[in-house]
Amino acid sequence: MLGLMQNQPLLISALITHAERHHGDGEIVSRRVEGDLHRYQWRDVARRARQVANALDGMQLLFSDRIATLAWNGYRHLELYFGVSGSGRVLHTLNPRLHPDQIAWIANHAEDQVLCFELSFLPLVQAIHARCPGIRQYVALCEADRLPVDSGIPHLVSYEAWIGAQGDRYDWPVFDENSASSMCYTSGTTGNPKAALYSQRSTILHAYAASLPDVMGLSARDSVLPVVPMFHVNAWGIPYAAALNGCKLVFPGPNLDGKSVYELMEAEQVTFAAGVPTVWQMLLGHLKQNGLRFSSLKRTVIGGSACPPAMIDAFREDYGVDVLHAWGMTEMSPLGTLCTLKNRHAGLPAPEQLKIRLKQGRAIFGVDLKIIGDAGEELPWDGKTFGDLYVKGPWVVREYFKGDGGDPLIEGWFPTGDVGTIDGEGYLQITDRSKDVIKSGGEWISSIDIENIAMAHPCVQMAACVGMKHPKWDERPIVAVVKRPGAELSREELLGFYEGKIAKWQVPDDVVFVEAIPLGATGKMLKTRLREQLKDYRLPTA
Ligand code: ADP
């Protein structure tokens, strides 16, 4: 017997319709490329998203055609999120931090037909357009009078003229909720990038999940600042979850330095923010240098790479901001786990609580986790046994776009490429990416643990641990360190700092001071490049 409830497909258009009807006067504030602040309301987003949909219909674009963006976090990008996916097309957010060759390759692979770009990316578009014959319309995200003349880009129109010519009435189509809604390419540190192709259904379920109290806990009382870019995994789903809950949204545009982010947070009374550790490092540095405090910020989600304990401590102890450590990946839309404490942890002393907060957290309902040993056996959840982490769930990829890379699943599970432990209470701790794991004398050493300890030293700005070949032990860890400006720190002092914090055999063999640690297009440490830079390095102990 089937249930007798209505069967309404879960569609992204419903989010914007809901936000308009129930939170029409909710504010959206955006720092623009032009430098000024733009503000309007959810009802304006909805109206202009309908104009976007009309513009796409007017171009005879078909269902599931790809519309690409090269854009910062801002209101026009938000309108495209809803106008493109709501009308049944696929929003393809390109990452402007990639190399132009890679962007051109990705745009061709995705078969993008329209490219909407921020004026600050004009040189990038000039560099790739000749190589992207499939793109038949370029839309500069600006007013008509700012449209560059003699840009050399064919079929170029300003966004405001493009949508301004359209009516603002539109009946959102109803279609299969499993239809594609947006796509994001993985950064492809090995081989060509592959695309996760999200569906309307997976996006809505993920938006519900993101809103839960033990996840982002978003509400109509929140003022939300996503520093995490809308060009990478849909800003962790925040634009959708914000529409679902009627949050105020605050977009930082291109200015992600500590001062700009802080001033925007204060001016717009931001209560909730989300970003990767490298960005928060700049923000905390600005606060410390200038003796500032937050007047409204309550919670921040930190993920994308491991959040150092010193950062969790600084946010909580110095500024009273709750840090929610999160783990996920492009292939998971991206949320997998998030760290909040349980009731029974409330009475624990602060250092014990910190140990839990440092973990990547518990699975969000909908996501299933398991850890697997070398022989494919499932490993115990004891908080000690390391294994390859596998996931499944309704917002986890089943296959990459165009079937690239073959079937990624193993008996229905997606192997994440991460290695971690899960404790008896279900808290996941990532110890490494499998390609970064350091094996010394048959034992695994967690590079994240080694980096976290170094980053807790007051003279260290950033640390990256990699394994180096060793004749006896196979591999031994070394730590590459960027010192804080003006700080004095010796190799011996830092190695001494490890004493008592981890087992002796896990202490790195050496410290290499470097000017900078190479970062990838999504702000993560690029250990492959660091290893290349250190190719002539020899271990003192080898
Ligand atoms: P890419 O690294 O290819 O850009 P993603 O942006 O999807 O891909 O990153 C996913 C990866 O980032 C995860 O598989 C994991 O290795 C790492 N990661 C994400 N969040 C965390 C975290 N909180 N702690 C440690 N690693 C993390």
Side-chain angles (χ1 to χ4, degrees), residues 187 232 304-306 325-330 360 418 430 433 522 524:
S187 36
H232 191 57
S305 48
H325 194 191
W327 168 84
M329 57 197 311
T330 306
Q360 278 73 3
D418 285 333
I430 301 288
R433 294 202 101 160
T522 53
K524 298 180 202 208

Side-chain angles (χ1 to χ4, degrees), residues 95 184-189 198 232-233 236 276-277 302-307 324-332 334 337 358-361 389 414 416-419 429-436 448 520-525:
N95 184 339
C184 182
Y185 280 72
T186 61
S187 36
T189 35
Y198 310 115
H232 191 57
V233 212
W236 298 349
V276 295
I302 303 184
S305 48
C307 180
L324 309 167
H325 194 191
W327 168 84
M329 57 197 311
T330 306
E331 288 87 340
M332 299 180 72
T337 67
L358 252 186
K359 299 192 176 194
Q360 278 73 3
L389 178 62
F414 179 78
T416 63
D418 285 333
V419 174
Q429 183 149 28
I430 301 288
T431 48
D432 260 306
R433 294 202 101 160
S434 52
K435 57 182 187 290
D436 295 332
I448 294 179
T522 53
K524 298 180 202 208
M525 297 192 280

